[in-house]
Amino acid sequence: QQRQMCIRDSLSCIIGSAVAGGISMAFKCTLMAPHGGIFVFPVVGHAWMYLVALVIGTVISALLLGILKKKVV
């Protein structure tokens, strides 16, 4: 059961991240720093579109987690 939970959580995060990455590529967003979280946001090209992609990917991950989560009785 623990393994199924890990697979479910990982799969949801991977799909949401892939969607966000694909959208940011479609919007031609750029990020010159390879890491840094919110601290590198000032160097993002097309920052608003990057933020839109991030929000859409997050919502997709959350929806998938909600759909795939087992109901507790």
Side-chain angles (χ1 to χ4, degrees), residues 13-67:
C13 291
I14 290 168
I15 291 171
S17 297
V19 170
I23 292 171
S24 69
M25 287 174 59
F27 288 152
K28 297 185 180 4
C29 299
T30 58
L31 179 56
M32 301 310 287
H35 58 81
I38 62 170
F39 302 108
V40 297
F41 203 78
V43 297
V44 173
H46 297 84
W48 285 109
M49 293 292 106
Y50 185 80
L51 187 62
V52 168
L54 180 67
V55 168
I56 291 172
T58 302
V59 168
I60 288 174
S61 290
L63 288 174
L64 284 173
L65 278 170
I67 290 168

